[in-house]
């Protein structure tokens, strides 16, 4: 996107923003919380290996545990470095408690912000209509009255539209992150099962050798 196009969009957006009145600031704060937490959650999920293939990670670790790279391979290596089966279970329990539980909290905050967006837009609609009615009641007609009415209607429509756009965009984003979080939880649960099976196989091999 060229610099001139961005400047043109900004010049067009500023008057629209001002027409929305104070409700636009509340909507901007809501959008900042919603999408800020969303992108932060997305980055954390990617860093934890949410899009990685657990079969590839397991194969890498089996091939060469010391050189296996990637977040899932490191997780497997750390789990398998525990002394016994109970320690492996405790490792994954701590992982869920300390790191993964915060994902669910962030998604709940996003859910609240999604629900708040259309309500804030509706609040802007009410204040815009109040401005319109005030202009009708106090105005004696003419250009000044029409200007107040137009300003009130503009505020009502812009905040409504902005609230719906933020709410719909945030709902889709939150749904995608929730699905990814659920898949990641299942992936970690499957890795925990694989690690425990590996431990049992090693223990059986040691007992047979003894």
């Amino acid at each position: 996107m060229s610099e001139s196009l961005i400047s043109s969009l900004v010049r067009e957006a500023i008057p629209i923003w001002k027409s929305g009145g104070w409700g636009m600031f509340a909507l901007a704060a809501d959008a900042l919380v919603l999408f800020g937490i969303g992108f932060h959650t997305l980055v954390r999920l990617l860093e934890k290996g949410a899009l990685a293939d657990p079969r590839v990670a397991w194969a890498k670790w089996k091939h060469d545990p010391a050189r296996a790279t990637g977040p899932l391979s490191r997780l497997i290596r750390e789990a398998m470095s525990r002394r016994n089966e109970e320690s492996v279970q405790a490792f994954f329990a701590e992982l869920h408690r300390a790191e993964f539980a915060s994902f669910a909290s962030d998604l709940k905050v996003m859910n609240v912000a999604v629900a708040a967006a259309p309500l804030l837009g509706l609040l802007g609609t009410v204040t815009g209509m109040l401005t319109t009615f005030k202009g009708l009641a106090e105005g004696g007609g003419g250009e000044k009255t029409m200007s107040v009415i137009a300003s009130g209607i503009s505020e009502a429509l812009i905040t409504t539209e902005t609230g719906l756009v933020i709410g719909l965009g945030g709902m889709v984003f939150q749904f995608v992150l929730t699905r990814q979080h659920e898949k990641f939880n299942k992936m970690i649960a499957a890795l925990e099962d694989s690690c425990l099976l590996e431990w049992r196989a090693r223990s059986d091999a040691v007992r047979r050798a003894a």
Side-chain angles (χ1 to χ4, degrees), residues 20-93:
W22 67 267
M24 295 297 284
F25 290 98
L27 285 166
D30 185 67
L32 190 64
V33 171
L34 172 56
F35 291 102
I37 291 177
F39 281 111
H40 178 65
T41 303
L42 178 63
V43 169
R44 287 180 59 211
L45 280 170
L46 293 176
E47 285 177 348
K48 298 291 180 187
L51 296 182
D53 189 337
R55 292 169 299 182
V56 173
W58 187 259
K60 284 182 178 177
W61 178 82
K62 292 281 282 184
H63 177 68
D64 189 349
R67 294 185 178 181
T69 57
L72 294 184
S73 296
R74 287 196 295 272
L75 191 149
I76 295 168
R77 184 167 57 238
E78 195 168 346
M80 295 305 292
S81 66
R82 306 291 155 161
R83 289 176 299 177
N84 51 43
E85 211 176 298
E86 289 73 23
S87 298
V88 175
Q89 289 174 323
F91 168 76
F92 278 101

